[in-house]
Amino acid sequence: MEANDLINLAYVVAATLFVFGIKMLGSAETARRGNLISGSGMLLAVVITLLAEGLDYKWILGGLLVGGAIGLVAARLVKMTAMPELVALFNGFGGLASLLVAWAEFEKIKASGWEVYQLETSSNPTFSGFVIYAAMLIGGVTFTGSLFAYGKLSGKLSGSAIVFGGQKAINILLLAILIGVGAVFTWSSDLELTYKLFLTGVGLSLLFGIMGVMPIGGGDMPVVISLLNSLSGVAASAAGFVIANNVLIVAGCLVGASGLILTVIMCKAMNRSLGNVLFSGFGATSSSG
Amino acid sequence: MDLILLFFIFVLAAFLGLELISKVPSQLHTPLMSGSNAISGITIVGALLAIRTEEQGTMGMILGVAALVFATINVVGGYVVTDRMLQMFKKKEK
């Protein structure tokens, strides 16, 4: 219990550091220091989490080393001009991580059954179902959407907008199915059924991420990445609701909200509205980006 | 933890986030995006907590470790690349 209090107290400090970090990143004189402050908040959150009981340190050390090495090498070696697309790629990985965290929690429920899980975590099954699905859906869309944006920016995919007849109708239908599957997933307690629904949801959300970015031209990708960055924050926040963790909820929500504002600011700088960028399909010709 | 309490802090964090940035010079758009992307890697905490010694089964373990690897790439890479961007920005100023 005492260890838990200490951990939660450290989370409050970490969240505060994130707030200062974002604030300072918004002005030229303080930006670099702001990034360091936010980074130390992250370090604190990670180190203090290691005090939690029952963790498997062998696998954790391995995961941290592998991920850290890949991230460090990629960030160090990337050319200055290729940085935005690398950010898109990193952002996609963050979304994927949130999806996987929600999935791992669902596996736990599947292994123990809803009743035991509910007793252990004093959670509400409907709410758990809802946030698991939300974290998976938003994380999945962020993942493939960011990968697609990365492909367009890096020139691995054609930068031009891909538009075809009935595209909007297909996307709306896809979204409707995603919501429908989610509704049944949330209210059903049949684990066999919900597992199939979950996997269907994973596939559809990954598809939806691609379909959503497809009709947007390469020149508008910075705005799209900014929006996807905001979404990855929301995904982290949803994952925070899944495991009832306040630092995930606060930090994710901060990124979600401030990222949305930044996206709008970027649109204004281009003299466009967000809706125009997302749905026009003319971005390839109208922007120099 | 109490669900309503969690929702309460979520709403407050949303308003704080909306107010946090107002006028950002356009050269800082990309670094700010990159820096807040690194923060969204906070899901690394969720990944750490998913890697446990008890029960959960092989699949849960694989998912947890995969989540940790991807989240760590996001966090470490995100902070380092943001720092490099801002370093470049400072040189331009002079």
Side-chain angles (χ1 to χ4, degrees), chain A residues 49-130:
Chain A
T49 304
L50 295 175
L51 295 181
E53 277 172 33
L55 297 185
D56 190 336
Y57 293 108
K58 199 175 57 207
W59 284 104
I60 285 178
L61 186 68
L64 285 174
L65 285 178
V66 171
I70 296 173
L72 190 65
V73 169
R76 279 252 162 244
L77 294 185
V78 67
K79 288 199 198 91
M80 295 290 181
T81 47
M83 280 179 180
E85 64 219 44
L86 188 66
V87 173
L89 195 60
F90 287 157
N91 188 55
F93 288 168
L96 179 61
S98 292
L99 181 155
L100 293 170
V101 166
W103 191 345
E105 194 70 8
F106 186 53
E107 288 286 338
K108 216 156 105 189
I109 296 171
K110 199 169 146 264
S112 64
W114 274 112
E115 288 82 9
V116 178
Y117 181 79
Q118 204 181 336
L119 275 179
E120 274 177 2
T121 58
S122 64
S123 60
N124 174 321
T126 309
F127 183 77
S128 293
F130 175 73

Side-chain angles (χ1 to χ4, degrees), chain A residues 149-211:
Chain A
Y150 163 78
K152 281 195 174 188
L153 269 184
S154 63
K156 290 190 173 66
L157 296 168
S158 157
S160 55
I162 303 166
V163 191
F164 52 86
Q167 194 170 21
K168 268 181 196 165
I170 291 174
N171 283 353
I172 290 170
L173 184 70
L174 196 55
L175 188 63
I177 296 173
L178 266 169
I179 292 172
V181 171
V184 182
F185 175 84
T186 300
W187 274 286
S188 169
S189 53
D190 176 356
L191 278 169
E192 286 289 311
L193 173 70
T194 47
Y195 196 66
K196 281 180 195 137
L197 289 174
F198 185 81
L199 295 181
T200 311
V202 170
L204 288 177
S205 62
L206 294 178
L207 179 65
F208 189 66
I210 295 172
M211 294 291 286

